[in-house]
Each structure stands twice: as structure tokens, then as C-alpha cells.
Amino acid sequence: SQQGEEDPQALSIQEGENATMNCSYKTSINNLQWYRQNSGRGLVHLILIRSNEREKHSGRLRVTLDTSKKSSSLLITASRAADTASYFCATGGTGANSKLTFGKGITLSVRP
Amino acid sequence: DTAVSQTPKYLVTQMGNDKSIKCEQNLGHDTMYWYKQDSKKFLKIMFSYNNKELIINETVPNRFSPKSPDKAHLNLHINSLELGDSAVYFCASSQLTRTEAFFGQGTRLTVV
């Protein structure tokens, strides 16, 4: 069954603006990850935040995690046209052989 | 060097045929996966192998048979292909199941 639910499903912004994407999940997690997928390509890992962390930064990316609300957000600051892609959140479970479960994805369009 | 490579990139075949997709990773990871991405971009895990042992087998028709000859390879064989099998299939690998996953470029399978 699907674990992560991202919103919005589609987001269109102007270059230079910030983009905020949200993800909600249902069960206990070990970590939450964000991936990017450019059209026709594979997924690229962006950032991983563990269940005992609340915020993490990587370059123009900022991820927050609220385990009490079972939600996460990905903020991309000063967006660029090259950030146009689909973004997925994925949750890693707590079991020894847990799997990565992906949400439906958010399509981000950054207008030049 | 490509970290996770899968072949072929495109596969067009007729209903009823049998086909294989190959995947290799040179990252030294111990866990490999097959994911299916449908036309709505939803990613669903199919199989997971850890050290050549099957650890996750989601509800996948038994026409799909994964084979892991060694830790670096996980191939997917599909018998009696059906129209509904048309999708993009992604191979991925990670070290254990609690870290980031690296994805291949995908194999776009079209069954006609």
C-alpha cells in the first residue's frame, strides 16, 4: 500500500521563487528521503532525514520532519529552471528488511 | 562510471513473449530492488534482494521471476507478457535497507 502522499500534486513557480512540497505518511519510519526524477530518467537521491532529526539542509534544499504529525516538507530556495522535475518522498521502515515506499510524486515546473 | 546500469533501455515486444531485463551495480551494495513505475508515475516495489536472498516479494504475478546470481546483479525475467505489464521498470541498490537508494535509468517496456 502507498505510504507517502505528497502535496501539491503539481506546482508551477517563477525562477528565483521558493518551492515548498509536502509529504505525509502513515506508519512508523526509520527515515524519510526525497528524490528527484527528470523526465525520462531514473530517480536521484536528494536528501535523507532520520526519524530522530527535525531539520536538515543540503545546498538550496531544506527538509523538515515532524514525526508527531507524520509529515515532511522539502523547500527548494531560489529555484532554477533546471529544478523542473518530479519530486518524490519515500519512507524507510523500522524493520530490518524494510523497504522504501514512495509517494505519488509532485511535478514542479520552474518558469524561466 | 555508471553506478546502477540496466539493459535494455527500451523494450517493445508482443503479448505472450518472454523477456528479461538485466541490472548490475558497481557500488558494492548488498541490497538490490526492482520497482515498477506506471503511467501516472506511481512507483511500486516489486522485489528486494539482500546478499542474493529474496527478502521482499510484493504481490506480483508469478510470471515475474527475479534472479540474483551474485550481489552485484539482479535480473528480472517476465513470462507471457501482457498489455498491463507496459511500464517503466527501475532497478535500484542500497547498502542495507535504511540508506539512500541509487537507481538505474529505467527500462521502458511496451507490450503490443
Side-chain angles (χ1 to χ4, degrees), chain B residues 27-45:
Chain B
L27 297 165
H29 288 163
D30 61 359
T31 305
M32 295 185 73
Y33 314 84
W34 278 108
Y35 281 85
K36 178 181 179 181
Q37 187 173 44
D38 62 23
S39 57
K40 295 182 180 178
K41 293 194 175 179
F42 179 49
L43 268 163
K44 185 171 167 55
I45 190 166

Side-chain angles (χ1 to χ4, degrees), chain B residues 33-73:
Chain B
Y33 314 84
W34 278 108
Y35 281 85
K36 178 181 179 181
Q37 187 173 44
D38 62 23
S39 57
K40 295 182 180 178
K41 293 194 175 179
F42 179 49
L43 268 163
K44 185 171 167 55
I45 190 166
M46 300 173 69
F47 302 102
S48 173
Y49 269 73
N50 179 265
N51 284 317
K52 301 195 305 174
E53 209 173 302
L54 180 66
I55 56 171
I56 292 173
N57 182 351
E58 293 291 291
T59 311
V60 177
N62 57 16
R63 298 181 294 104
F64 291 78
S65 52
K67 288 214 172 28
S68 181
D70 55 58
K71 268 183 15 173
H73 295 84

